[in-house]
Amino acid sequence: MITAGPLASVPEAPVRVNATVAGASRGLGGELAVARVDLGAIGENTRWFAARASGAALMAVVKADGFGHGAVPVARSVLAAGAAWLGVARTREALALRAAGIDAPILAWLLEPGLVRAAVDNGVDLSVSSVDDLRRIAEVDSSRRAFVHLKLDTGLHRAGAAAETWAEVVGQAARLEGQGRIRVRGIWSHLSHGDVLGHPNNVRQRDALCAGVEVAGALGVHPTLTHLANSGGVIQIGASGCSMVRVGAGLYGIDVFHGRNGPSQLRPAMTITARIVGIRRVRAGEGIGYGHTTLAARDTNLALIPLGYADGLPRVAGAHGSLWCRSRRVPLVGRISMDQCSVDVGDLPVTVGEPVTVVGDGTDGAPTVADWADWAGTIPHEILAHIGSRVPRQIIEAD
Ligand SMILES: *Cc1c(COP(=O)(O)O)cnc(C)c1O
């Protein structure tokens, strides 16, 4: 028989706990599973990057709901820790931060045609890659001036003006600036190999951006900000003469070099705990889970964990992964399903309701985000960004 644990209603707002009571509230409360977000770690990581930005301003990248940690609480803690700017992909992400009362400077780099006016009205800076982008922004009827950051493609070949269109884009920006329609606040680009140690593209792209800034100067465009480096870029080439850096992954404790640059000094901010909701005895040879991909090798006990691929556990990780139960690794068995997975706990005297660690912070033997990424053949960023909204975030405030 599978014994069901108590069902919990999932609150809509993140559960906020104060660090002073964190020790006492580290349990799961009434939840089946909780993703704990340690804002102290995010603050420390922010200060670590700020110290390596050699005087340049820090833009904290809080796109994709702050890499799954919660954009609003993350934004508040990075700003308190010294970040000057926030960066997001879509315009709507920036507007959500404004709606939450965050008035720090924000850059959004994926222009949403239906939200250009709202962005300008709300003082959200927009990225520009083309004359078309400029036209869209300049034709907005707002009482506020639109602030833009001209993006030059220096080699990533994603967004940004191609080198051969740069002078045209800058020239048009200069005309619109002269008419008082826009203000060019920044010139920027994005690295293709920031997380590849010693890759020559990093300095090549830096040089290309410098050249682009010079062209702009000659055409009368003098922005106050230039920015290029991401997490890996800051560690490898610092701000590279720019006045700002844009850091995402590292703020959340991701080591973008996977240990190849020595032990990481960044602290993972998210840990995930789930309670055992059932214990099932299986006999040697019995099949486990959908398709019976695993047959029990011996008589054993399975613990049922109420997290599945809809919560962000990669389905392919079922073949290699393990969780942390009573200070040891217990292997996942059978397929990870949409809502649940099973681990082989052998003869451990586990009980229904007790917690297991699904994602740890690297301080014990529990699997880390990097382990999950290895099992799934991906990067930690994807694991974190996929942790589902069904898993309540428990925000641990910094001291
Ligand atoms: C995601 C992103 C960043 C942050 O990069 P990390 O490697 O996560 O530090 C910076 N700039 C742009 C344009 C991005 O899309």
Side-chain angles (χ1 to χ4, degrees), residues 61 63 67 109 151 158 188 190 230-231 246-249 381:
V61 178
K63 63 189 180 187
F67 285 54
W109 47 79
K151 187 170 194 183
R158 211 169 58 176
W188 71 301
H190 192 33
N230 59 352
S231 300
R246 299 182 314 276
V247 176
H381 316 46

Side-chain angles (χ1 to χ4, degrees), residues 17 130 180 211 216 229 266 277 290 322 373 399:
V17 302
S130 65
L266 301 168
V277 292
Y290 286 129
S322 54
D399 289 317

Side-chain angles (χ1 to χ4, degrees), residues 63 128 237 292:
K63 63 189 180 187
V128 160
I237 58 171
H292 285 181

Side-chain angles (χ1 to χ4, degrees), residues 15 24 58 70 78 116 119 124 131 135 141 146 159 168 194 203 219 228 252 267 270 277 303 308 365 378 390:
V15 186
L58 179 70
V78 293
V116 178
V124 172
V131 169
R135 182 188 47 73
D141 176 28
E168 186 196 358
V203 286
L219 292 168
L228 174 68
Y252 307 96
R267 264 179 63 199
M270 188 193 285
V277 292
T378 184
R390 200 164 61 174

